[in-house]
Amino acid sequence: MSKPTHLSEADLTAFGQALDQIRDDVMSDLGERDARYILRVLRTQRASEVAGRALLFAGLLPPAWLAGTSLLALSKILENMEIGHNVMHGQWDWMNDPALDSATYEWDNTCPSAQWKHSHNYVHHTFTNIVDLDRDLGYTLLRVSEDQAWEPRFLAQPGIALLLAAFFQWGVALHDLEFERLGRDKSWKDMRAQAGQILAKVRGQLLKDYLLFPTLAGPLFAPVLAGNLSANFTRNIWSFLIIFCGHFTDEVEMYDRAEATDESRGQWYLRQLLGSSNLTGSVPFHVLSGHLSYQIEHHLFPDMPSHRYREIAPRVQALCAEYGINYNTGSLARQAGGVARRILRMSLPGRRRRRVTNTAADFAEAA
Amino acid sequence: MNPIVKRMLGSSLARALAHPSSVDDYLALIDDRLSLAEPRGRVVHAVRQTPDSVTLAIEPNSNWRGHHAGQHVLVGLTLDGARHSRCFSIASAPDEPLIEITVKRNGAGRVSNYLVDQAQRGQLLYLSPAEGDFCPRSQAPAKALLLSAGSGITPVMSVLRTWLSHGASTDIVFLHYARAPVDMIYADELEALAAEHARLQSITVFTGAGGARLDAAALDAQVPDLAERETWLCGPAGFMDTAETLIAARSSAPLHREQFAASRRASAHGQGAVQFLKSDIAASGEHGSLLEIAEDAGLSPPYGCRMGICHACKCHIAEGTVRDLRTDRVRQVRDTDLQLCIHAAAGDVAIDF
Ligand code: FES
């Protein structure tokens, strides 16, 4: 395995302090420039939604349909990734703008914000990549770590992964129900209350995308419906891809409970870092990914305004180099390949032979 | 906004089409001032009457529900990317189309200082509905004393303008304490009004450089018939306390004190224990809002308006049962950000602070 074994406690403390310094530098510098950025994204998203829906009303012409659907998909991707996800992390709370308030923001997704903040912000970001605690590890559907016991159902997981990609927002919506806890420490009553919130959210989206807008289009009911379906579908595939590339690539590390108890700040940072993987690409690509292409930086500092990840990434990477820690990054194609390999490999029983690298000797050799 | 357009945009169809965002989110594409429910306004005049103050005339949008004399408004603006708000008394009379406020420079007050230095025509301001009930009724009594100090003159001015604009024949003594002539806002207007209305007597006392203070002798000399007058009072806390004692000893007529809504809100009651996780402090949730409980426990969470508008006091609640002090609604929350100033404990609450 490539969890570093060459770092002393003092190294980890210094490493943690260096990261704290990066965080402080950015957080004390937030202001006008950041506000301008997110407001611009917000405007772009709303404008592309309005334009997309308007074009779809001219949807009999194939180019208009295509342009309308693309703009709507763009708007949904921006809204879920760069706006919704990051707003709900509290990244923009400092602006005191009610439209960007983590407490009240509701994203365009079938998952209610309140439940997302629990399953994602709390469970996933606290217990990142700890098998049995982080429910995002395979979303209780897939086996993504050799530390998860194999069951015959996992033979079907390549197919299940594809289905999950297509219906990703629905998977996300059901995620916080935590079916597996039912009858143990979760009551049917709690479950019903949560299901009620999900239904309200689902009703809102179905009504808007699949009934009201198509109906308003009159004779163009079918193309508008198809456009909305395609936009939601595109957003699903895209977010699935970005999120899976952020945590289930080849080199990403998984942890067991014992490894992650009583962590120091430095160890916590280290787990977040080794449990995440980045994607390289252009600025528009990063924006469309909600800067989750900087998954490492996001996991280190989940409440830092996203566009700053781009700025601090070189500092984080240099720090990793200095301490001999693997900084997992690569192109979308490379990382997606790694994800596919992992999903396929884990569908079969047996344990992977772990590489042993990044020991003190490796580090000395590399240096 | 045209009322018909507004009705259409406020319909449940429009809301369903905007789901899960609000119609306002889309209106913002056109103009920041557009909103279906939020009062907002733009500055139409900024007049600097004294070197360290500015009087702003604000044209509100159609969501402004008007105000009563002596009420105040929370004014918000964006500074360095973040929205900040502060309360100001409204000086205009209720039936005037523009809202007038006067802002004085104030040591570390970013909002005030910004407005004094930079406010100009066109500036967008976020507003709250008018709050406070300094002057609950608009008819004037037969005889009144309007007593103010410093920037406390603004709400009192609003009371005066209201009465005069209604043609009231009240016998009014307007007694104002200012530091020096350059500090005095509304000096010209008061002088003009006094010249025009025989029953209005305007007295200004300058307190700077060894000038007079409010005391028993001065009050007896300036307002000999105090016992017959109802009083409207506004100024710094020390001034108001002194005035209240002096007046109570001389008159049993009603006395109206200008105070902001937050300090006037009946003190909140709660139950349960409040746990501050990061500072590892436990406190009883019985008395006060969560903000007050935190402060009583020696913590200093950020706050602004203390009345639920500015969101400065928002803290992350890990888990708990809280009561919204505005609606009395009790709800269970987990992993949510809440405004501490408008929530009380309604059971155990764990706060990340
Ligand atoms: S202090 Fe302004 S909302 Fe609480």
Side-chain angles (χ1 to χ4, degrees):
Chain A
M1 76 179 182
S2 60
K3 287 176 195 166
T5 50
H6 61 278
L7 295 174
S8 68
E9 226 164 87
D11 288 339
L12 276 172
T13 308
F15 174 69
Q17 283 165 350
L19 284 172
D20 284 339
Q21 187 58 51
I22 295 179
R23 178 190 158 82
D24 288 350
D25 289 349
V26 173
M27 298 308 253
S28 58
D29 179 50
L30 295 182
E32 189 85 45
R33 171 164 77 96
D34 304 87
R36 226 181 305 125
Y37 169 76
I38 191 66
L39 293 175
R40 224 178 87 202
V41 174
L42 207 65
R43 272 179 174 268
T44 310
Q45 180 260 318
R46 286 174 193 153
S48 61
E49 178 179 0
V50 171
R53 292 195 186 277
L55 275 170
L56 274 178
F57 277 12
L60 261 195
L61 309 167
W65 186 88
L66 202 65
T69 303
S70 311
L71 280 172
L72 191 55
L74 169 73
S75 140
K76 284 188 178 264
I77 285 171
L78 277 179
E79 196 283 333
N80 274 198
M81 308 294 279
E82 182 66 335
I83 305 170
H85 168 263
N86 294 331
V87 165
M88 288 187 287
H89 266 293
Q91 293 181 4
W92 303 100
D93 280 357
W94 58 273
M95 285 173 62
N96 285 326
D97 182 338
L100 295 169
D101 181 347
S102 66
T104 53
Y105 192 87
E106 208 34 92
W107 62 341
D108 183 16
N109 188 296
T110 43
C111 175
S113 291
Q115 294 186 25
W116 169 260
K117 283 183 272 187
H118 176 257
S119 63
H120 178 82
N121 291 9
Y122 170 61
V123 179
H124 169 61
H125 273 270
T126 313
F127 306 114
T128 313
N129 285 25
I130 304 177
V131 174
D132 291 340
L133 288 180
D134 179 2
R135 299 181 68 259
D136 280 26
L137 270 188
Y139 298 95
T140 64
L141 289 172
L142 308 174
R143 178 174 182 253
V144 291
S145 161
E146 51 274 284
D147 299 321
Q148 290 166 289
W150 184 83
E151 294 168 31
R153 67 182 172 111
F154 292 130
L155 285 172
Q157 81 174 5
I160 294 179
L162 290 179
L163 277 176
L164 181 61
F167 295 101
F168 195 58
Q169 68 162 338
W170 300 93
V172 171
L174 300 179
H175 189 47
D176 199 45
L177 284 175
E178 305 182 302
F179 290 112
E180 73 282 3
R181 280 177 50 205
L182 259 188
R184 284 192 280 146
D185 55 348
K186 181 158 189 166
S187 69
W188 279 98
K189 189 167 155 267
D190 289 350
M191 178 90 154
R192 265 198 304 276
Q194 269 186 298
Q197 297 167 353
I198 297 174
L199 271 181
K201 199 69 198 289
V202 167
R203 205 181 306 125
Q205 198 196 57
L206 292 185
L207 193 70
K208 169 185 181 172
D209 280 353
Y210 303 143
L211 190 66
L212 291 179
F213 273 110
T215 306
L216 280 180
L220 292 184
F221 187 95
V224 170
L225 177 74
N228 286 359
L229 267 169
S230 314
N232 276 323
F233 175 78
T234 311
R235 181 269 324 272
N236 284 355
I237 303 278
W238 176 254
S239 29
F240 171 90
L241 195 64
I242 296 295
I243 288 160
F244 271 58
C245 286
H247 286 297
F248 309 131
T249 53
D250 256 342
E251 296 164 30
V252 118
E253 296 301 327
M254 311 283 173
Y255 289 75
D256 60 40
R257 281 170 194 247
E259 283 175 295
T261 27
D262 293 329
E263 282 175 325
S264 65
R265 182 118 186 101
Q267 285 166 328
W268 186 87
Y269 273 139
L270 192 60
R271 174 162 59 84
Q272 301 298 333
L273 206 157
L274 295 174
S276 313
S277 45
N278 281 8
L279 297 166
T280 51
S282 62
V283 170
F285 170 78
H286 294 308
V287 174
L288 287 178
S289 79
H291 285 91
L292 293 181
S293 47
Y294 290 100
Q295 190 71 247
I296 292 177
E297 286 72 18
H298 174 58
H299 261 269
L300 294 172
F301 313 117
D303 58 353
M304 177 185 288
S306 55
H307 71 140
R308 296 291 195 130
Y309 297 151
R310 237 186 294 149
E311 292 172 21
I312 61 164
R315 286 176 73 184
V316 174
Q317 191 166 6
L319 206 60
C320 286
E322 184 186 332
Y323 283 88
I325 298 167
N326 183 31
Y327 184 88
N328 186 343
T329 184
S331 68
L332 180 63
R334 186 186 105 103
Q335 301 291 53
V339 171
R341 270 197 300 282
R342 184 185 278 266
I343 289 178
L344 289 172
R345 195 171 61 228
M346 295 298 154
S347 68
L348 299 172
R351 299 176 69 87
R352 167 170 70 136
R353 282 223 344 263
R354 294 181 165 197
R355 282 175 302 130
V356 179
T357 55
N358 271 10
T359 58
D362 287 333
F363 184 47
E365 198 178 295
Chain B
M1 209 186 303
N2 178 311
I4 298 170
V5 174
K6 191 166 168 179
R7 179 115 40 88
M8 273 169 54
L9 291 177
S11 67
S12 53
L13 174 65
R15 259 183 291 134
L17 292 175
H19 172 92
S21 309
S22 69
V23 175
D24 278 6
D25 290 330
Y26 295 92
L27 287 177
L29 277 178
I30 306 169
D31 183 348
D32 281 338
R33 204 176 67 142
L34 291 178
S35 162
L36 288 183
E38 267 187 60
R40 292 175 194 168
R42 276 192 201 289
V43 171
V44 285
H45 307 290
V47 179
R48 286 161 175 90
Q49 301 190 51
T50 67
D52 61 354
S53 79
V54 63
T55 299
L56 302 177
I58 303 162
E59 182 183 20
N61 64 12
S62 60
N63 301 318
W64 176 252
R65 291 266 147 273
H67 73 284
H68 300 293
Q71 285 196 303
H72 52 261
V73 58
L74 198 74
V75 174
L77 52 90
T78 307
L79 292 175
D80 287 337
R83 196 180 295 182
H84 298 264
S85 317
R86 198 180 172 301
C87 258
F88 296 102
S89 305
I90 303 171
S92 40
D95 32 22
E96 290 169 27
L98 300 182
I99 307 169
E100 183 181 305
I101 60 172
T102 291
V103 182
K104 281 203 103 164
R105 185 183 303 287
N106 155 11
R110 292 185 71 192
V111 174
S112 310
N113 294 354
Y114 176 88
L115 288 173
V116 169
D117 295 331
Q118 320 260 344
Q120 50 175 332
R121 188 184 164 80
Q123 164 94 45
L124 174 76
L125 299 174
Y126 299 93
L127 306 173
S128 71
E131 296 226 11
D133 53 10
F134 181 41
C135 179
R137 56 200 170 83
S138 54
Q139 326 93 297
K143 290 182 113 179
L145 167 63
L146 302 180
L147 178 55
S148 60
S151 53
I153 192 171
T154 44
V156 178
M157 196 66 197
S158 173
V159 172
L160 176 69
R161 287 169 170 177
T162 309
W163 289 341
L164 296 181
S165 72
H166 289 178
S169 60
T170 305
D171 177 327
I172 306 165
V173 175
F174 197 123
L175 176 53
H176 178 68
Y177 281 75
R179 205 172 314 128
V182 295
D183 288 327
M184 173 145 176
I185 35 189
Y186 300 120
D188 297 345
E189 184 178 344
L190 263 180
E191 198 177 312
L193 287 174
E196 187 184 332
H197 298 271
R199 294 171 67 84
L200 168 64
Q201 187 195 349
S202 165
I203 309 170
T204 306
V205 181
F206 295 106
T207 58
R213 300 267 148 189
L214 176 67
D215 58 24
L219 196 60
D220 288 336
Q222 283 150 347
V223 199
D225 55 354
L226 184 63
E228 298 158 32
R229 291 180 188 271
E230 206 168 314
T231 304
W232 275 258
L233 171 65
C234 189
F239 173 83
M240 290 214 280
D241 291 342
T242 311
E244 209 172 336
T245 322
L246 289 174
I247 294 167
R250 287 165 176 73
S251 162
S252 52
L255 180 138
H256 310 272
R257 250 179 99 120
E258 163 68 332
Q259 269 167 323
F260 288 161
S263 49
R264 213 189 52 243
R265 177 173 288 135
S267 92
H269 289 296
Q271 59 188 59
V274 181
Q275 181 77 34
F276 295 96
L277 299 172
K278 287 190 192 147
S279 16
D280 204 11
I281 291 177
S284 151
E286 254 168 63
H287 299 294
S289 65
L290 292 174
L291 179 62
E292 288 158 350
I293 292 170
E295 288 171 340
D296 289 344
L299 302 172
S300 36
Y303 67 84
C305 63
R306 301 184 80 97
M307 57 202 276
I309 300 174
C310 70
H311 294 256
C313 63
K314 206 156 50 184
C315 257
H316 187 256
I317 310 283
E319 195 148 51
T321 313
V322 297
R323 185 157 54 86
D324 187 321
L325 292 168
R326 297 164 302 182
T327 57
D328 259 342
R329 200 163 68 95
V330 171
R331 60 187 176 125
Q332 274 190 312
V333 292
R334 68 171 183 180
D335 203 32
T336 321
D337 292 315
L338 277 190
Q339 290 153 277
L340 297 187
C341 69
I342 47 158
H343 285 93
D348 293 348
V349 184
I351 304 178
D352 273 327
F353 192 82

